[in-house]
């Protein structure tokens, strides 16, 4: 190995810098984390209502209703604890829910939040001619590829109603005449409503939802679109059942035309948004961190690099960065820029490891990566390698990546095992004999009755394999979060060893929070019946302390025993 690294160090060359992936400034949604501007909600009515009811994260609008001058006012949403909230750094989210009307509990008020204006209408407490929804949105001229958000869903007992999310982009204006815009005992006041959700989405739902007519059994008159009115894109999804933990949702936009949008709206609904007859009280949807996705975009992850080659640890928790260039929800380029090996005080720059078209699959909010590139040239072609990338990045952006580099143009194919993790790998513990440390990788002798233990560290589990008169199998390091099946979890007690035998002890430290494993450590030791049983081999043994000073009569402790030119570390009790 020394010859290999020496030759490479002699050929150090700086490689061209990694090309940057340029990104245009694209629009995001206002207050998309719901952290700011929680203010009084003033429900819109055709009668120009001025009363407030509940709060809303401006400019978003929760579907709070004011009823008839305040009678029947009902709350359908509120501010709650957000995703990744901590005591030190609290965050907020928005929760919407279907609520019983405050006066007539048999009537259900739908809970939803939107960037448009919410509205509702009905005549009298029996809710005759009821209708409602959203109109308008925000000015918007970008073309996002997808929308992502964190969510939780709760369903009332035996509820079959689904929660719904609908996002859409359009240009022009749809105007519907004579839409009743308030709740009243008499005839509600009518308005000409612009960009009502059902008007914009009517044809799309007919084409994509088995001919569903969004205007059936609704209120209002003739619909007049401007000549340039055009639905440009839609993203939609529904959720059934309960989702108790924060979960990431990704929805691709379905683009219907090549036009540039003028407006955008998204509706997050606790229930079946376009079917008010299916509303069920108690159903809720909680939303946080709403983001629009534009491809390609780059996620940079800072963390730590560990490298092994021919059984030697070349790099130990070296600070590093990887880049994930997302080209779609299912594909990315993986980049380990300026890949260098730390060798003592020397730094060997090999170049950029770039693996294009890495496949991405997502399960339970965890993204799994798998990709390969052949004949990658490093060190300006001195190294030709096949590279395979596997690993995960979870919803908390914790990266755990393995980069297998096979150096193919060496005299014999040579594997270089590279791992990248967001957190540093834990250090393998130092073995203790009667409370005294023994360096790993060194042979030593244990007197019968001595206790061989591992130190107990909070948050760290130790898994080990103790074999008698047998070599443990070679174990390549990988932070797999999976300890080998034949390892035993250390319980804090002395290891079970017998006098007069030879053992090989292989062990791993595992961080209980991150699941990361240390490098595999191995020691070999023999057991005797005591210092007098060590004996001599064709001469008298000499003993030295760990500072190299000769000791005539060893007492309790760790010593170096020298006999016939061989040195062995021993423990004396």
């Amino acid at each position: 190995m020394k010859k290999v690294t020496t030759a490479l160090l002699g050929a150090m060359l700086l490689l061209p810098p990694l090309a940057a992936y340029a990104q245009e400034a694209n629009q995001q949604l206002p207050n998309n984390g719901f952290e700011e501007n929680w203010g009084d909600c003033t429900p819109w009515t055709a009668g120009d209502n001025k009363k407030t009811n509940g709060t809303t994260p401006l400019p978003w609008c929760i579907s709070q209703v004011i009823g008839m001058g305040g009678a029947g006012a009902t709350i359908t949403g509120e501010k709650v604890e957000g995703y990744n909230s901590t005591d030190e750094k609290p965050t907020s989210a928005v929760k919407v829910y279907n609520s019983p009307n405050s006066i007539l509990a048999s009537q259900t008020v739908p809970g939803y939040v939107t960037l448009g204006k919410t509205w509702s209408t009905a005549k009298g407490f029996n809710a005759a001619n009821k209708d409602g929804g959203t109109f308008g949105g925000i000015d918007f001229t970008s073309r996002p590829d997808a929308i992502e958000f964190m969510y939780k869903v709760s369903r009332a007992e035996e509820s079959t109603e689904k929660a719904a999310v609908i996002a859409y982009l359009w240009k022009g204006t749809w105007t519907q005449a004579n839409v009743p815009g308030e709740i009243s005992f008499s005839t509600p006041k009518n308005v000409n409503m612009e960009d009502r959700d059902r008007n914009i989405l009517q044809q799309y739902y007919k084409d994509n939802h088995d001919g569903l007519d969004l205007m059936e059994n609704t209120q209002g008159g003739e619909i007049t679109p401007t000549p340039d009115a055009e639905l440009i894109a839609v993203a939609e999804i529904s959720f059934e059942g309960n989702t108790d933990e924060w979960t990431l949702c990704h929805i691709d936009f379905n683009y219907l035309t090549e036009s540039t949008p003028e407006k955008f709206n998204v509706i997050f609904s606790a229930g079946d948004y376009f079917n008010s007859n299916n509303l069920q009280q108690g159903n809720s949807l909680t939303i946080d961190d709403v983001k629009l996705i534009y491809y390609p975009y780059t996620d940079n992850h800072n963390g730590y690099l560990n490298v092994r080659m021919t059984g030697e640890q070349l790099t130990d928790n070296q600070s590093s960065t990887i880049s994930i260039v997302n080209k779609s929800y299912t594909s990315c380029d993986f980049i380990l820029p300026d890949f260098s090996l730390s060798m003592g005080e020397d730094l060997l720059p090999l170049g950029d490891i770039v693996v294009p078209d890495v496949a991405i699959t997502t399960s339970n909010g965890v993204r799994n990566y798998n990709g390969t590139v052949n004949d990658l040239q490093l060190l300006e072609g001195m190294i030709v390698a096949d590279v395979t990338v596997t690993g995960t990045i979870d919803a908390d952006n914790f990266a755990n990546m393995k980069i297998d580099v096979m150096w193919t143009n060496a005299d014999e194919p040579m594997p270089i095992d590279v791992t990248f993790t967001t957190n540093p790998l834990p250090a393998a513990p130092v073995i203790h004999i009667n409370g005294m440390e023994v360096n790993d990788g060194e042979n030593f002798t244990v007197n019968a009755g001595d206790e061989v233990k591992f130190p107990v560290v909070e948050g760290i589990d130790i898994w080990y394999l103790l074999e008698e008169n047998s070599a443990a199998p070679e174990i390549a390091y990988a932070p797999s979060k999976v300890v080998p099946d034949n390892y035993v979890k250390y319980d804090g007690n002395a290891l079970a060893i017998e006098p007069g035998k030879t053992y090989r002890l292989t062990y791993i430290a595992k961080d209980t929070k991150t699941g990361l494993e240390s490098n595999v450590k191995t020691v070999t030791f023999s057991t005797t019946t005591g210092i007098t049983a060590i004996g001599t081999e064709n001469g008298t043994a000499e003993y030295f302390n760990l500072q190299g000073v000769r000791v005539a009569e060893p007492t309790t402790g760790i010593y170096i025993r020298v006999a016939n030119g061989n040195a062995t570390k021993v423990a004396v009790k």
Side-chain angles (χ1 to χ4, degrees):
M1 179 63 201
K2 188 175 292 184
K3 292 181 179 179
V4 174
T5 56
T6 301
L8 291 176
L9 285 167
M12 279 191 192
L13 294 170
L14 292 177
L15 300 180
L18 175 68
Y21 284 78
Q23 292 195 60
E24 298 178 359
N26 292 301
Q27 280 181 269
Q28 285 293 340
L29 304 182
N31 198 12
N32 58 349
F34 308 110
E35 303 298 331
E36 306 168 353
N37 300 330
W38 279 84
D40 291 337
C41 181
T42 306
W44 177 90
T45 68
D48 196 24
N49 168 63
K50 301 296 184 183
K51 294 183 178 181
T52 62
N53 187 31
T55 61
T56 194
L58 300 170
W60 298 78
C61 184
I62 297 176
S63 59
Q64 328 278 30
V65 298
I66 199 64
M68 290 177 284
T74 303
I75 298 293
T76 59
E78 61 186 355
K79 179 179 181 179
V80 296
E81 184 177 67
Y83 169 66
N84 269 347
S85 183
T86 63
D87 291 339
E88 296 75 22
K89 189 177 180 180
T91 63
S92 58
V94 59
K95 179 179 181 180
V96 291
Y97 37 83
N98 297 339
S99 300
N101 183 279
S102 62
I103 290 180
L104 194 62
S106 61
Q107 297 294 327
T108 303
V109 181
Y112 56 98
V113 61
T114 175
L115 284 168
K117 290 185 181 297
T118 64
W119 67 281
S120 59
T121 185
K123 185 175 180 179
F125 284 120
N126 64 352
N129 300 325
K130 65 180 179 180
D131 201 353
T134 301
F135 66 93
I138 61 172
D139 293 338
F140 194 88
T141 57
S142 295
R143 288 174 60 95
D145 293 286
I147 184 170
E148 288 186 350
F149 51 89
M150 303 300 296
Y151 75 97
K152 294 195 287 187
V153 178
S154 178
R155 302 291 88 180
E157 187 175 357
E158 298 184 358
S159 173
T160 59
E161 185 186 23
K162 298 179 181 180
V165 179
I166 308 108
Y168 50 101
L169 300 95
W170 74 99
K171 60 179 291 191
T173 303
W174 282 259
T175 302
Q176 184 173 14
N178 300 321
V179 178
E182 61 184 1
I183 299 172
S184 174
F185 274 123
S186 58
T187 301
K189 181 179 179 179
N190 291 339
V191 296
N192 292 332
M193 185 173 287
E194 292 187 351
D195 292 332
R196 182 180 178 181
D197 46 14
R198 292 175 182 264
N199 298 165
I200 298 171
L201 294 167
Q202 180 182 13
Q203 189 59 51
Y204 173 84
Y205 268 73
K206 282 185 178 180
D207 295 340
N208 295 276
H209 289 266
D210 299 324
L212 177 63
D213 185 358
L214 294 185
M215 301 311 299
E216 185 177 1
N217 298 321
T218 62
Q219 305 298 307
E222 183 178 359
I223 303 167
T224 305
T226 57
D228 63 339
E230 183 179 24
L231 176 62
I232 295 171
V234 178
E236 55 172 331
I237 196 170
S238 60
F239 305 113
E240 58 183 341
N242 292 313
T243 304
D244 298 327
E245 301 295 329
W246 282 112
T247 303
L248 174 68
C249 180
H250 172 104
I251 320 171
D252 289 325
F253 277 100
N254 176 19
Y255 275 87
L256 310 174
T257 78
E258 299 296 324
S259 299
T260 299
E262 296 176 354
K263 304 167 192 176
F264 177 97
N265 190 33
V266 60
I267 302 161
F268 294 100
S269 174
D272 189 346
Y273 182 73
F274 285 125
N275 184 3
S276 61
N277 294 320
N278 194 35
L279 294 177
Q280 293 174 289
Q281 296 178 11
N283 290 341
S284 69
L285 174 65
T286 307
I287 297 294
D288 202 0
D289 290 352
V290 184
K291 299 175 184 176
L292 298 178
I293 305 300
Y294 299 86
Y295 296 119
Y297 72 92
T298 301
D299 285 328
N300 293 317
H301 298 267
N302 296 322
Y304 299 88
L305 209 63
N306 284 268
V307 182
R308 285 180 67 87
M309 186 173 178
T310 63
E312 181 180 347
Q313 186 75 19
L314 301 184
T315 296
D316 190 10
N317 282 335
Q318 174 183 313
S319 295
S320 187
T321 299
I322 61 170
S323 296
I324 305 294
V325 183
N326 297 278
K327 300 190 292 187
S328 73
Y329 190 56
T330 58
S331 177
C332 72
D333 292 342
F334 172 90
I335 303 172
L336 174 56
D338 301 323
F339 176 47
S340 302
L341 300 181
S342 297
M343 298 180 179
E345 297 181 356
D346 296 314
L347 188 67
L348 175 62
L350 300 184
D352 303 329
I353 292 181
V354 180
V355 182
D357 302 324
V358 174
I360 306 173
T361 58
T362 304
S363 177
N364 298 322
V366 178
R367 295 189 175 186
N368 300 273
Y369 297 82
N370 194 319
T372 300
V373 63
N374 294 323
D375 299 327
L376 177 70
Q377 296 196 8
L378 299 171
L379 203 63
E380 291 196 339
M382 292 187 62
I383 295 178
V384 178
D386 296 339
V387 180
T388 298
V389 172
T390 56
T392 59
I393 300 177
D394 66 17
D396 295 325
N397 272 331
F398 179 85
N400 184 359
M401 310 295 290
K402 192 172 189 302
I403 307 104
D404 292 322
V405 180
M406 180 60 72
W407 182 357
T408 58
N409 67 331
D411 293 338
E412 294 183 2
M414 184 177 298
I416 306 174
D417 299 319
V418 183
T419 58
F420 175 90
T421 52
T422 299
N423 290 357
L425 301 182
V430 177
I431 293 175
H432 287 191
I433 299 177
N434 293 341
M436 296 186 178
E437 294 184 354
V438 177
N439 292 330
D440 64 275
E442 297 185 8
N443 297 336
F444 57 92
T445 301
V446 180
N447 288 323
D450 286 351
E451 289 190 335
V452 179
K453 290 185 172 183
F454 294 107
V456 177
V457 179
E458 184 177 357
I460 299 293
D461 285 340
I462 300 168
W463 293 80
Y464 69 93
L465 178 65
L466 181 64
E467 295 184 310
E468 177 189 341
N469 293 325
S470 172
E474 181 68 21
I475 301 175
Y477 165 69
S480 61
K481 298 190 179 181
V482 180
V483 175
D485 291 339
N486 55 346
Y487 277 42
V488 177
K489 185 178 178 181
Y490 181 61
D491 60 5
N493 295 317
L495 302 185
I497 56 177
E498 298 178 7
K501 295 187 177 181
T502 300
Y503 293 94
R504 180 167 178 171
L505 176 63
T506 306
Y507 55 99
I508 296 172
K510 182 169 183 176
D511 189 312
T512 58
K513 181 178 181 181
T514 65
L516 292 179
E517 298 166 5
S518 71
N519 291 322
V520 175
K521 297 292 184 181
T522 301
V523 295
T524 301
F525 63 91
S526 300
T527 59
T528 72
T529 57
I531 187 76
T532 58
I534 294 175
T536 63
E537 299 173 11
N538 299 323
T540 302
E542 294 183 314
Y543 296 90
F544 300 82
N545 64 20
L546 297 182
Q547 287 72 45
V549 179
R550 188 177 181 280
V551 179
E553 296 182 3
T555 57
T556 301
I558 304 293
Y559 296 90
I560 306 297
R561 176 184 181 275
V562 179
N564 295 325
N566 296 318
T568 307
K569 184 177 288 187
V570 297
V572 178
K573 64 173 186 174

